[in-house]
C-alpha cells in the first residue's frame, strides 16, 4: 500500500509544496526537485493564463458583436455584493432533507469508514508527488465531462443521477440567477476532478466525499467522526493535536486537505485557466463541509480565507440544492458551455 511504502521515509512535509526527502536527496520529479519551486511555477503559470484570458476578452470574438462582448465584461465585473447575494431559487426548499447521513444507505457509510481510515499524511504526500510527476490524460474539458458520466458517486446520499446531469443542474441554477460567466463555469466543472477515479485512484475513497485536513486533530464536525479511530494518524502525537504540523492562522493554502477530486481539480484549474481566486476557492473547498458549514478549523484560517469563505458559501447553495430529479438536454446546452469553457481555458487540450 502506498502509505506504508513512504511513511518511514518522510522527514517533514513542506506544505507550501510537496518537498519530501528520501535519504539524503529529494524524491526525483519530472518537473523540478523542490516543492516550493513547483508552487512558484504554478503561480507563474496561473498569471500567464490570466493574461492570456484578458487579451482574449479584449479582442472581439468573430461570433459576437461589440455590444455582446461589453455585456459579458459587465457581468464578469459585478461586485461581490451582487454575485454573492443569496438566491431566491431555494427560499422554500427544505434544507434538512439534504445530507441526511443518518438515513444514508450502507454504501455511503461504508465509503466514509474506508475514507477515514486511509486518508493519512503519508498517503496525501505520495498523492501530491504522483500529481506533480505525471500526466494522466490529455483532453478537452467537455471530453472530460463525457468521460465522467460513467461514475456514480458512492459518497453522495442526495442523488442517483449521472455526473454530467449534476454538473448541468448546478451550472443552470447559477445561470438562472444571472451570476457571472466564470461562476457558471465553476458550476459546470466543480466535480470534474472525479476523473481521478478512472486514472490512478485506489477506489472512491481518494476521489469523492467530504474533505478535511490531515496532519492535525480530526474534528468531531466531520461526518462519521468515530471512524477516524482506525486511521494510523489518530494516535500519532505529531498529528493528533489541535494544530498538528500547522500553526495558528497559517492559512488554508498551507494545509493538506484529504486528497480527492477537489484538490486535484483545483491544481489543474490553477495551472490551465484564467478563472479568478474566488472560483479556485469554490473548486478547492466545496466538499470541505466541516469548514464552510460548521466553521471547524477556523483557527487555521487567515484573512484571505475569510474572504474566500464567502465565495464558497455562495457556491455551495447551488451545488447542494440543485440536486433534483430534473434532467437537461445535454446537446441543447452543449454549445453554450463549449463557448464558456473556451473563454476561460486558453488551451483547449488540458493535461489531467
Amino acid at each position: 500500500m502506498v502509505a506504508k511504502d513512504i511513511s518511514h521515509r518522510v522527514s517533514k512535509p513542506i506544505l507550501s509544496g510537496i518537498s519530501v526527502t528520501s535519504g539524503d536527496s529529494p524524491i526525483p520529479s519530472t518537473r523540478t526537485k523542490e516543492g516550493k519551486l513547483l508552487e512558484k511555477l504554478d503561480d507563474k503559470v496561473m498569471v500567464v493564463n490570466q493574461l492570456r484570458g484578458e487579451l482574449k476578452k479584449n479582442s472581439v470574438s468573430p461570433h459576437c458583436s461589440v455590444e455582446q462582448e461589453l455585456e459579458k465584461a459587465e457581468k464578469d465585473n459585478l461586485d461581490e455584493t451582487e454575485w454573492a447575494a443569496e438566491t431566491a431559487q431555494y427560499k422554500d426548499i427544505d434544507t434538512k432533507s439534504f445530507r441526511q447521513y443518518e438515513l444514508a444507505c450502507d454504501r455511503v457509510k461504508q465509503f466514509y469508514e474506508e475514507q477515514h481510515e486511509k486518508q493519512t499524511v503519508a498517503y496525501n504526500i505520495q498523492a501530491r508527488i504522483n500529481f506533480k510527476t505525471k500526466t494522466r490524460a490529455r483532453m478537452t474539458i467537455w471530453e472530460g465531462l463525457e468521460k465522467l458520466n460513467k461514475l456514480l458517486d458512492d459518497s453522495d446520499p442526495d442523488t442517483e443521477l449521472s455526473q454530467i446531469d449534476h454538473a448541468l443542474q448546478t451550472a443552470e441554477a447559477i445561470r438562472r440567477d444571472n451570476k457571472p460567466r466564470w461562476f457558471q463555469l465553476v458550476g459546470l466543472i466543480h466535480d470534474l476532478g472525479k476523473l481521478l477515479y478512472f486514472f490512478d485512484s485506489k477506489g472512491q475513497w481518494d476521489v469523492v466525499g467530504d474533505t478535511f485536513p490531515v496532519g492535525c486533530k480530526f474534528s468531531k464536525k466531520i461526518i462519521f467522526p468515530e471512524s477516524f479511530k482506525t486511521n494510523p494518524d489518530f494516535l500519532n502525537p505529531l498529528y493528533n493535536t489541535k494544530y498538528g504540523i500547522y500553526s495558528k492562522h497559517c492559512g488554508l493554502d498551507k494545509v493538506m486537505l484529504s486528497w480527492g477530486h477537489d484538490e486535484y481539480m483545483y491544481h489543474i484549474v490553477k495551472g490551465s485557466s484564467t478563472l479568478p481566486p474566488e472560483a479556485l476557492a469554490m473548486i478547492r473547498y466545496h466538499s470541505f463541509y466541516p469548514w464552510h458549514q460548521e466553521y471547524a478549523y477556523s483557527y487555521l484560517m487567515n484573512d484571505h480565507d475569510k474572504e474566500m469563505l464567502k465565495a464558497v458559501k455562495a457556491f455551495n447553495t447551488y451545488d447542494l440544492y440543485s440536486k433534483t430529479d430534473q434532467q437537461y438536454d445535454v446537446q441543447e446546452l452543449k454549445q453554450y458551455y463549449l463557448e464558456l469553457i473556451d473563454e476561460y481555458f486558453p488551451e483547449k487540450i488540458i493535461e489531467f
Side-chain angles (χ1 to χ4, degrees):
M1 186 173 168
V2 175
K4 291 181 180 178
D5 288 342
I6 71 166
S7 59
H8 67 285
R9 294 183 288 157
V10 175
S11 60
K12 184 178 180 182
I14 306 298
L15 297 177
S16 60
I18 55 165
S19 182
V20 183
T21 59
S22 175
D24 296 324
S25 60
I27 292 175
S29 165
T30 58
R31 300 179 187 179
T32 178
K33 294 182 179 180
E34 293 294 335
K36 288 186 178 180
L37 290 179
L38 280 169
E39 288 301 318
K40 288 181 180 179
L41 182 59
D42 279 347
D43 291 341
K44 290 182 183 298
V45 169
M46 185 170 69
V47 169
V48 170
N49 285 335
Q50 287 175 337
L51 289 173
R52 283 181 181 174
E54 289 301 316
L55 290 172
K56 190 172 181 179
K57 284 182 183 179
N58 290 333
S59 60
V60 178
S61 167
H63 303 293
C64 298
S65 66
V66 174
E67 290 77 10
Q68 287 174 318
E69 289 291 331
L70 289 173
E71 183 180 352
K72 286 181 185 178
E74 183 179 349
K75 283 185 178 180
D76 278 356
N77 287 325
L78 290 172
D79 63 38
E80 179 188 296
T81 57
E82 293 183 68
W83 69 257
E86 291 188 6
T87 175
Q89 283 190 63
Y90 307 114
K91 64 179 180 179
D92 298 322
I93 200 166
D94 180 11
T95 59
K96 294 181 180 180
S97 65
F98 291 83
R99 290 178 60 81
Q100 291 192 359
Y101 285 102
E102 66 279 1
L103 302 178
C105 64
D106 290 341
R107 165 177 63 86
V108 175
K109 293 176 182 177
Q110 290 166 3
F111 163 82
Y112 276 107
E113 287 176 357
E114 184 176 22
Q115 184 206 41
H116 291 175
E117 176 185 355
K118 295 180 177 179
Q119 286 279 358
T120 62
V121 170
Y123 175 75
N124 272 267
I125 292 172
Q126 184 65 63
R128 284 159 174 80
I129 292 172
N130 291 344
F131 171 78
K132 294 288 186 179
T133 56
K134 70 170 69 172
T135 296
R136 296 160 179 81
R138 291 180 175 86
M139 56 187 162
T140 66
I141 294 293
W142 191 265
E143 287 171 341
L145 287 167
E146 291 179 329
K147 183 177 180 66
L148 188 62
N149 216 28
K150 300 174 183 177
L151 174 67
L152 174 64
D153 187 340
D154 282 344
S155 71
D156 194 339
D158 294 325
T159 184
E160 298 290 330
L161 294 180
S162 71
Q163 294 298 305
I164 201 166
D165 283 327
H166 172 55
L168 289 173
Q169 282 178 338
T170 309
E172 284 295 287
I174 296 168
R175 185 182 175 191
R176 280 197 300 273
D177 273 348
N178 295 314
K179 299 299 184 182
R181 290 171 63 79
W182 63 261
F183 199 157
Q184 297 172 34
L185 183 56
V186 170
L188 184 72
I189 67 171
H190 71 283
D191 277 343
L192 188 54
K194 292 179 182 180
L195 284 170
L196 265 177
Y197 181 73
F198 302 108
F199 300 141
D200 55 0
S201 72
K202 304 300 179 183
Q204 288 209 18
W205 64 267
D206 61 348
V207 178
V208 299
D210 287 8
T211 57
F212 46 86
V214 297
C216 61
K217 187 176 181 178
F218 299 115
S219 171
K220 292 182 179 180
K221 294 182 179 180
I222 304 171
I223 197 68
F224 300 131
E226 65 280 357
S227 58
F228 281 108
K229 291 179 181 179
T230 59
N231 186 302
D233 294 346
F234 187 79
L235 296 176
N236 190 322
L238 289 175
Y239 307 139
N240 66 2
T241 61
K242 179 177 180 179
Y243 294 104
I245 57 178
Y246 310 113
S247 59
K248 187 175 182 179
H249 301 309
C250 61
L252 294 180
D253 61 326
K254 294 181 175 62
V255 172
M256 276 198 300
L257 295 181
S258 52
W259 182 253
H261 73 283
D262 293 28
E263 285 287 284
Y264 172 58
M265 194 61 192
Y266 160 72
H267 286 291
I268 288 175
V269 171
K270 180 181 177 183
S272 59
S273 81
T274 63
L275 287 166
E278 291 81 2
L280 298 180
M282 291 173 179
I283 290 170
R284 188 184 186 212
Y285 302 124
H286 74 270
S287 300
F288 191 9
Y289 276 87
W291 176 59
H292 64 70
Q293 293 300 305
E294 303 292 339
Y295 211 57
Y297 301 104
S298 58
Y299 44 84
L300 297 177
M301 295 169 59
N302 59 20
D303 289 340
H304 176 71
D305 297 325
K306 294 175 184 177
E307 290 302 310
M308 293 302 101
L309 179 59
K310 299 175 186 176
V312 178
K313 291 182 75 68
F315 172 74
N316 177 250
T317 298
Y318 297 101
D319 180 23
L320 185 57
Y321 302 137
S322 65
K323 294 176 181 177
T324 65
D325 293 330
Q326 180 183 5
Q327 291 179 273
Y328 291 94
D329 185 329
V330 176
Q331 293 305 313
E332 183 180 317
L333 296 174
K334 182 176 179 179
Q335 189 56 43
Y336 176 82
Y337 285 107
L338 285 176
E339 292 177 2
L340 195 55
I341 291 167
D342 287 346
E343 190 174 335
Y344 290 95
F345 284 87
E347 304 296 331
K348 290 189 177 183
I349 304 300
I350 308 301
E351 292 191 352
F352 282 93

